[in-house]
């Protein structure tokens, strides 16, 4: 009897570790679907396909047109919006289908990631595999996903009446919320993973967290650049419009509008953000190697700096080549890779979540 009692904590710990591995594996699948979703969203934007479906039908919209009559009906709805009248007048039905499928795929993936998240969450909760303290985090991510769906339609609606494209404000918000969901999912997944090193010092943790914040800001700025098609102009580097600091950055009134509505100013600020993140990543790498030489934290900080440099090079190449589809998608994809690694690194500097039995003892 005493032997059974002594073994009980080890049995419970093994069970908790197995549950953590299951939940972590599920979250990695969610991350993969999110990654594909954001890339398809980028392709939808770059192919000017995002306004091809002019209605929001969360349930019925799963079924695409199935015959010629339904395709004609869908096409006629598209013909009523300014984008068709001003940019695509005379478009053939076949050309319409090519942009329709991008937007349909984007919406299907968005619904799919909701199912991939919600159904296993219910199962894990019902079978008591969600440990105490984890539930609110997962519910928070689920709620953000629901909000993202509403913001997606809010974004599309901005291009259906008075514009030929969606609002850059709403596009940047939609993209940034997707990145935030991706970040939160990564942080929770890595919090459930075993870590080979104890937590880093507070300074290292704070600087790692700052890099996550800078990556999110850069993604927001990238959304503004995409929404304004700002990457199609000033395609030189390091000079911009022939200067390191171009003129006419504050030409709009009031001045704040330039930071959101001027393609020139938005692109310049996005460049500055890349420089700032490169410096911060270099500083973080050097500081971490000095404080904790030879540790996993130091090695991750070095890899993070390399990823920042690679993303900067991809961004420069995308600009110099005048934003071809493959380079733009690579830039967006690598932004998520960088953000995901930065989030994982930040969680790694803090260590894994305490095991449930440790929480119980402290309580």
């Amino acid at each position: 009897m005493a032997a059974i009692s002594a073994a009980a904590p080890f049995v419970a710990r093994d069970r908790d570790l197995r549950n953590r591995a299951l939940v972590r594996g599920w979250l990695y699948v969610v991350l993969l679907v999110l990654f594909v979703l954001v890339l398809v969203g980028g392709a939808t934007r770059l192919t000017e396909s995002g306004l091809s479906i002019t209605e929001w039908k969360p349930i019925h919209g799963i079924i695409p047109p199935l015959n010629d009559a339904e395709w004609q009906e869908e096409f006629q709805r598209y013909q009523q919006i300014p984008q068709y009248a001003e940019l695509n007048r005379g478009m053939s039905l076949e050309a319409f289908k090519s942009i329709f499928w991008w937007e349909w795929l984007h919406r299907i993936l968005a619904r799919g990631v909701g199912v991939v998240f919600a159904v296993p969450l219910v199962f894990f909760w019902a079978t008591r595999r969600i440990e105490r303290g984890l539930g609110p985090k997962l519910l928070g991510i689920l709620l953000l996903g629901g909000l993202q769906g509403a913001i997606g339609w809010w974004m599309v609606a901005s291009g259906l009446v008075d514009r030929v494209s969606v609002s850059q404000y709403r596009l940047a918000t939609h993209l940034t919320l997707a990145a935030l969901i991706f970040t939160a999912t990564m942080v929770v997944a890595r919090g459930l993973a075993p870590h080979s090193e104890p937590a880093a010092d507070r300074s290292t943790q704070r600087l790692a967290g700052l890099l996550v914040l800078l990556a999110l800001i850069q993604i927001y700025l990238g959304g503004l650049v995409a929404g304004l098609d700002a990457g199609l102009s000033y395609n030189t580097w390091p000079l911009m419009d022939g200067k390191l600091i171009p003129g006419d950055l504050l030409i709009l009134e009031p001045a704040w509008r330039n930071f959101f509505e001027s393609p020139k100013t938005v692109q310049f600020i996005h460049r500055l953000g890349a420089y700032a993140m490169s410096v911060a990543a270099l500083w973080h790498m050097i500081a971490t190697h000095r404080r904790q030489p030879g540790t996993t934290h130091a090695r991750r900080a070095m890899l993070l700096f390399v990823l920042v440099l690679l993303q900067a090079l991809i961004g420069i190449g995308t600009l110099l080549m005048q934003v071809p589809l493959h380079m733009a998608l690579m830039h967006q994809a690598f932004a998520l890779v960088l953000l995901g690694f930065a989030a994982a690194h930040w969680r790694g500097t803090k260590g894994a979540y305490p095991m449930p039995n440790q929480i119980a003892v402290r309580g």
Side-chain angles (χ1 to χ4, degrees):
M1 195 70 175
I4 294 175
S5 299
F10 298 99
V11 173
R13 180 178 176 82
D14 287 343
R15 182 192 64 240
D16 292 337
L17 288 173
R18 285 195 301 272
N19 288 340
R20 282 194 167 192
L22 285 171
V23 173
R24 189 169 71 251
W26 156 57
L27 291 177
Y28 287 152
V29 172
V30 172
L31 285 169
L32 178 61
V33 180
L34 283 170
F35 183 83
V36 174
L37 174 60
V38 173
L39 280 193
V40 171
T44 301
R45 162 64 190 154
L46 289 162
T47 56
E48 302 289 347
S49 304
L51 299 178
S52 58
I53 302 178
T54 60
E55 295 180 334
W56 190 32
K57 298 177 179 177
I59 305 300
H60 181 65
I62 294 173
I63 304 173
L66 300 176
N67 53 53
D68 290 341
E70 290 180 359
W71 274 114
Q72 287 293 344
E73 181 181 353
E74 196 73 46
F75 190 25
Q76 287 170 9
R77 280 195 285 265
Y78 176 67
Q79 290 172 331
Q80 304 306 309
I81 70 171
Q83 186 182 77
Y84 175 83
E86 298 183 31
L87 298 181
N88 292 328
R89 183 175 293 278
M91 169 186 274
S92 67
L93 178 60
E94 290 304 312
F96 170 72
K97 288 180 180 180
S98 69
I99 64 172
F100 175 92
W101 285 121
W102 275 117
E103 175 63 6
W104 182 82
L105 178 59
H106 184 51
R107 295 192 185 195
I108 284 295
L109 283 171
R111 294 177 176 95
V113 75
V115 173
V116 169
F117 194 94
V119 172
L121 175 60
V122 171
F123 170 76
F124 286 135
W125 210 307
T127 54
R128 300 180 182 276
R129 287 178 168 85
I130 304 296
E131 59 196 54
R132 190 171 69 179
L134 189 60
K137 295 180 176 68
L138 296 173
L139 285 178
I141 295 172
L142 184 63
L143 290 174
L144 285 177
L147 177 62
Q148 176 72 330
I151 287 178
W153 174 246
W154 175 65
M155 176 189 70
V156 169
S158 69
L160 298 180
V161 180
D162 300 317
R163 300 170 56 101
V164 297
S165 61
V166 299
S167 161
Q168 75 273 18
Y169 291 98
R170 301 187 188 189
L171 174 65
T173 300
H174 187 52
L175 177 60
T176 306
L177 184 54
L180 186 60
I181 294 169
F182 189 84
T183 301
T185 306
M186 177 65 79
V187 168
V188 173
R190 296 309 300 161
L192 294 172
H195 292 267
S196 58
E197 300 276 358
D201 61 278
R202 296 289 293 179
S203 295
T204 300
Q205 291 180 25
R206 283 194 292 267
L207 193 47
L210 174 63
L211 286 167
V212 176
L213 178 60
L214 288 175
L216 287 169
I217 292 172
Q218 273 296 88
I219 286 173
Y220 177 80
L221 291 171
L224 292 178
V225 169
L228 292 168
D229 289 326
L232 298 177
S233 55
Y234 309 107
N235 300 104
T236 59
W237 186 87
L239 301 182
M240 181 177 176
D241 199 17
K243 302 176 182 177
L244 284 175
I245 303 177
D248 297 328
L249 292 175
L250 301 177
I251 197 170
L252 300 179
E253 294 290 344
W256 66 264
R257 289 179 54 209
N258 293 277
F259 297 93
F260 302 93
E261 299 177 17
S262 166
K264 188 177 197 177
T265 306
V266 167
Q267 191 196 120
F268 181 65
I269 297 300
H270 191 47
R271 292 186 185 206
L272 291 183
Y275 301 149
M277 188 162 186
S278 299
V279 171
L282 177 61
W283 177 21
H284 177 57
M285 180 186 70
I286 294 171
T288 306
H289 273 271
R290 285 178 175 174
R291 291 193 188 101
Q292 302 183 49
T295 63
T296 304
H297 304 306
R299 289 190 291 272
R300 284 198 313 267
M302 178 182 291
L303 180 54
L304 180 56
F305 175 64
V306 171
L307 292 177
V308 170
L309 288 185
L310 286 175
Q311 174 66 344
L313 290 173
I314 294 170
I316 293 168
T318 303
L319 182 70
L320 296 178
M321 297 172 68
Q322 298 186 349
V323 198
L325 178 62
H326 70 285
M327 287 297 294
L329 286 178
M330 185 188 301
H331 190 45
Q332 185 163 319
F334 210 81
L336 274 188
V337 171
L338 172 58
L339 175 65
F341 187 84
H345 172 57
W346 174 57
R347 183 64 245 182
T349 64
K350 298 167 72 68
Y353 295 136
M355 294 295 292
N357 61 325
Q358 292 175 303
I359 296 173
V361 169
R362 292 176 182 176

